[in-house]
Amino acid sequence: LAKLHSIIEQLKDAGFKVTPQRRAIIDTLHNHDPKTAHEVFTNLKEDYPDISLDTVYRNLHLLVELGVVTQINLQSRDSARFVISADGHYHYLICIQCGSTVKVDFCPATTRITEDFKFQPIKHVFEVYGYCSQCQNNEVY
Ligand SMILES: [Zn+2]
Ligand SMILES: [Zn+2]
């Protein structure tokens, strides 16, 4: 909860109004698996019947710009998933069949890049696309 509080403070510091809808978006993503904009929209629609998918997209991208939210699965707008940045630094394996995501707890940029290449990374993207174990078992592809 303290983390949620610091996210709200971060928004205020950046000069953004923390509207109930923005708060609800953060609540929806907080401590959850990465969600698509559509999943966030479906979640919010119960409490905010007037909200549009476009509003959700706009707010998610604003939160990404502020660094509060990280966008994963960068291939397309429809498959993009969003996760709270403060939940940790992770990378993801993304199933191109069912869209499920698996969190990877190592970062290729931290050791090999800094040590082997003497390069100081500021920002990086590392995503792996493929088939999850369940989809491999189903052999649907
Ligand atoms: Zn799958
Ligand atoms: Zn990393």
Side-chain angles (χ1 to χ4, degrees):
L1 202 70
K3 209 162 64 183
L4 194 60
H5 204 79
S6 82
I7 293 167
I8 303 291
E9 288 305 306
Q10 207 177 324
L11 284 181
K12 284 183 188 161
D13 288 349
F16 286 96
K17 267 198 229 145
V18 183
T19 60
Q21 290 182 356
R22 277 178 192 165
R23 221 206 127 92
I25 289 174
I26 293 165
D27 278 339
T28 302
L29 294 175
H30 185 59
N31 284 335
H32 282 99
D33 285 338
K35 284 189 160 66
T36 64
H38 205 270
E39 285 166 351
V40 173
F41 170 67
T42 306
N43 248 306
L44 262 65
K45 201 136 177 67
E46 289 173 27
D47 291 333
Y48 305 94
D50 293 337
I51 202 165
S52 71
L53 183 57
D54 243 37
T55 304
V56 172
Y57 271 120
R58 240 181 300 116
N59 277 294
L60 281 170
H61 286 291
L62 177 78
L63 293 169
V64 169
E65 261 173 57
L66 291 173
V68 170
V69 167
T70 300
Q71 183 181 339
I72 66 165
N73 197 351
L74 305 161
Q75 279 187 321
S76 84
R77 182 178 141 122
D78 292 334
S79 59
R81 282 171 186 265
F82 300 87
V83 64
I84 296 285
S85 309
D87 286 346
H89 178 104
Y90 295 104
H91 294 284
Y92 292 89
L93 312 178
I94 298 147
C95 181
I96 55 174
Q97 180 71 39
C98 70
S100 68
T101 51
V102 178
K103 222 190 230 177
V104 176
D105 60 0
F106 68 88
C107 175
T110 49
T111 49
R112 292 225 40 211
I113 302 297
T114 50
E115 284 167 22
D116 298 0
F117 296 89
K118 307 280 178 247
F119 187 88
Q120 189 198 347
I122 300 299
K123 188 180 175 172
H124 64 274
V125 175
F126 175 67
E127 296 187 335
V128 180
Y129 301 96
Y131 296 101
C132 71
S133 55
Q134 203 161 6
C135 286
Q136 287 175 57
N137 290 337
N138 292 345
E139 288 183 56
V140 281
Y141 58 91

